[in-house]
């Protein structure tokens, strides 16, 4: 499946994406606040095989449309009939590309999957992503104590969520902001 935006497209993850995702996860800056990356491309392939079969997750690769180049990943996870977690958002893209990838994912979740709520759980130390959430119409649902276990440390998560109303506000703001932009 492919979902197209103005600047990026989301493509369903496949085994052909293993090397790209492995290298992305090895990037210490991009994966600073995440669980340990896979130790080999073989491990990455096994993880992808498992997730492709999982009907409670939809993983995508973010592609820069102009260059037809993979720039990141994004996913809906823990999908139920009402909600899902937006995560695995790792990207080397520009701010515009990264925001559009989120818009495309949320649009897919609300309009195709008919979800009522899409939430994200962010490592409390990831100030940059928390600041991003604060600057959107997402609802701050508070802190979940000791949600992550990373490098044998329990770490709190900050939860933000979108419903269809605040998503549409976010989407409209993005469209207005990017109407004249050509990347």
């Amino acid at each position: 499946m492919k979902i197209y935006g103005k600047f990026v497209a989301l493509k369903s993850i496949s085994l052909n994406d293993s090397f790209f995702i492995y290298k992305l996860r090895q990037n210490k800056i991009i994966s600073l606040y995440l669980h340990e990356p896979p130790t080999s491309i073989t491990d990455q392939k096994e993880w992808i095989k498992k997730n492709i079969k999982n009907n409670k997750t939809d993983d995508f690769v973010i592609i820069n449309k102009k260059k037809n180049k993979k720039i990141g990943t994004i996913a809906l996870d823990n999908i139920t009939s009402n909600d899902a977690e937006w995560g695995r958002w790792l990207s080397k893209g520009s701010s515009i590309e990264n925001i559009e990838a989120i818009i495309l994912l949320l649009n897919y979740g609300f309009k195709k999957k008919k979800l009522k709520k899409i939430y994200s759980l962010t490592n409390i130390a990831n100030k940059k992503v928390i600041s991003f959430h604060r600057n959107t119409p997402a609802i701050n649902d508070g802190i979940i104590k000791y949600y992550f276990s990373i490098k044998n440390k329990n770490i709190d998560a900050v939860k933000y969520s979108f419903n269809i109303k605040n998503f549409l506000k976010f989407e409209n703001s993005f469209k207005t902001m990017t109407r004249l932009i050509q990347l």
Side-chain angles (χ1 to χ4, degrees):
M1 166 182 22
K2 263 196 175 175
I3 304 167
Y4 295 94
K6 182 175 179 179
F7 309 108
V8 300
L10 303 184
K11 176 193 78 68
S12 292
I13 199 170
S14 74
L15 287 176
N16 292 335
D17 301 314
S18 300
F19 183 75
F20 168 74
I21 296 170
Y22 174 77
K23 291 306 258 179
L24 192 64
R25 290 292 316 269
Q26 296 302 313
N27 182 313
K28 296 208 184 299
I29 294 169
I30 290 174
S31 62
L32 181 63
Y33 302 105
L34 305 175
H35 298 283
E36 291 294 314
T39 56
S40 69
I41 294 174
T42 302
D43 288 346
Q44 186 65 61
K45 282 182 180 178
E46 290 304 314
W47 183 88
I48 289 172
K49 280 182 196 175
K50 183 180 122 209
N51 268 23
I52 287 172
K53 293 176 186 172
N54 183 348
N55 64 358
K56 293 187 181 222
T57 190
D58 286 329
D59 283 283
F60 298 95
V61 172
I62 306 167
I63 299 170
N64 171 303
K65 282 177 52 180
K66 188 173 185 179
K67 297 176 184 174
N68 194 28
K69 182 179 176 185
K70 298 172 186 175
I71 59 171
T73 63
I74 196 164
L76 287 179
D77 201 13
N78 302 315
I79 300 169
T80 70
S81 59
N82 290 318
D83 65 11
E85 178 183 350
W86 142 43
R88 292 197 276 282
W89 180 39
L90 308 172
S91 181
K92 302 183 293 182
S94 70
S95 297
I96 296 293
E97 292 166 327
N98 294 337
I99 293 169
E100 186 176 50
I102 296 163
I103 298 283
L104 293 174
L105 183 76
L106 295 174
N107 187 55
Y108 168 75
F110 287 118
K111 296 180 182 171
K112 298 280 188 205
K113 294 283 216 183
K114 307 290 186 208
L115 299 172
K116 292 179 178 41
K117 181 168 110 174
I118 300 173
Y119 60 92
S120 74
L121 297 162
T122 304
N123 181 325
I124 198 164
N126 193 342
K127 303 295 183 202
K128 191 174 180 180
V129 172
I130 292 168
S131 176
F132 165 78
H133 287 300
R134 259 192 238 116
N135 288 299
T136 71
I139 300 161
N140 182 335
D141 294 319
I143 294 173
I144 301 173
K145 296 299 248 175
Y146 312 121
Y147 183 80
F148 299 109
S149 179
I150 300 173
K151 298 177 185 166
N152 296 318
K153 286 185 176 180
N154 291 325
I155 298 171
D156 298 346
V158 181
K159 184 175 182 180
Y160 280 88
S161 63
F162 279 94
N163 56 37
I164 189 69
K165 184 179 176 184
N166 58 6
F167 162 67
L168 291 172
K169 183 177 178 183
F170 182 47
E171 181 181 46
N172 288 334
S173 294
F174 180 76
K175 285 179 180 177
T176 300
M177 179 180 72
T178 60
R179 188 173 304 129
L180 301 175
I181 294 175
Q182 298 294 320
L183 292 182

